[in-house]
Amino acid sequence: MTRTLVLIRHGKAEPARDDLTDEARQLTLSGRAALEGPCGFSRTLVLLDDEERARPRLIASSACRARQTAEIAADVLECKEIEERAYLFSQNTEAFLEELAQSSERTTVIVGHVPFVERMTEYLCGAQLDFSPGAAAAIELDDALDACESKLLWFVQGPRAK
């Protein structure tokens, strides 16, 4: 069975502040609007074929901005459940690859951060991509998850937030 992984960078987030932890930073209003708008996830995630869109597994970083981004993706994908993983916030490559190797889902959608999504895209399929906020890459996974053996299906830069 062919499996598809979609790596998404969270949308535009509010700037860091001394009175706010990095994990608590939220999407800006314009960042949310860009992901929900006509150039957002409704345009990007339609690139998944019908089989890939049927009951995807959706996993988000524990950061608030990633969870908010995942909620917008969930609406587009009609996905009812979002799983949260702290290892995506800490960018733990080993934990991610281990869970991915054990997964049997046809499609897994990950909402995380840079440089993690960029490193995983390069590791899995050799593509060096610069993920702007809200960018997404779909990868056809090699069964063994060997370095550079999977195939990049498509890449879409994130929508511009005003």
Side-chain angles (χ1 to χ4, degrees), residues 122-148:
E122 184 174 3
Y123 173 80
L124 291 168
C125 61
Q128 294 181 339
L129 303 173
D130 182 20
F131 280 67
S132 64
I139 300 167
E140 183 180 288
L141 293 174
D142 169 69
D143 288 335
L145 299 180
D146 290 329
C148 298

Side-chain angles (χ1 to χ4, degrees), residues 35-57:
L35 296 175
E36 292 173 335
C39 293
F41 287 154
S42 61
R43 176 185 66 119
T44 300
L45 297 175
V46 75
L47 295 171
L48 294 169
D49 67 31
D50 290 341
E51 283 184 38
E52 292 167 334
R53 290 176 56 102
R55 295 185 301 272
R57 182 178 186 194

Side-chain angles (χ1 to χ4, degrees), residues 16-152:
R17 301 189 325 243
D18 289 339
D19 65 333
L20 187 68
T21 66
D22 187 37
E23 205 166 2
R25 290 174 46 222
Q26 298 186 40
L27 292 177
T28 63
L29 291 177
S30 64
R32 176 180 290 280
L35 296 175
E36 292 173 335
C39 293
F41 287 154
S42 61
R43 176 185 66 119
T44 300
L45 297 175
V46 75
L47 295 171
L48 294 169
D49 67 31
D50 290 341
E51 283 184 38
E52 292 167 334
R53 290 176 56 102
R55 295 185 301 272
R57 182 178 186 194
L58 183 53
I59 304 173
S61 157
S62 56
C64 182
R65 59 194 178 274
R67 175 69 184 210
Q68 291 171 323
T69 300
E71 289 168 357
I72 297 166
D75 286 344
V76 171
L77 294 168
E78 299 177 1
C79 183
K80 296 183 184 343
E81 183 180 345
I82 300 170
E83 300 173 46
E84 194 172 289
R85 297 290 186 272
Y87 69 71
L88 290 171
F89 182 71
S90 65
Q91 305 198 24
N92 184 328
T93 301
E94 287 181 28
F96 170 72
L97 290 173
E98 183 177 316
E99 182 169 2
L100 191 59
Q102 294 174 5
S103 175
S104 61
E105 277 76 22
R106 169 86 168 89
T107 304
T108 302
V109 178
I110 301 292
V111 180
H113 310 268
V114 292
F116 181 81
V117 292
E118 294 170 341
R119 283 195 324 252
M120 286 299 89
T121 303
E122 184 174 3
Y123 173 80
L124 291 168
C125 61
Q128 294 181 339
L129 303 173
D130 182 20
F131 280 67
S132 64
I139 300 167
E140 183 180 288
L141 293 174
D142 169 69
D143 288 335
L145 299 180
D146 290 329
C148 298
E149 293 300 320
S150 295
K151 175 182 166 188
L152 180 66

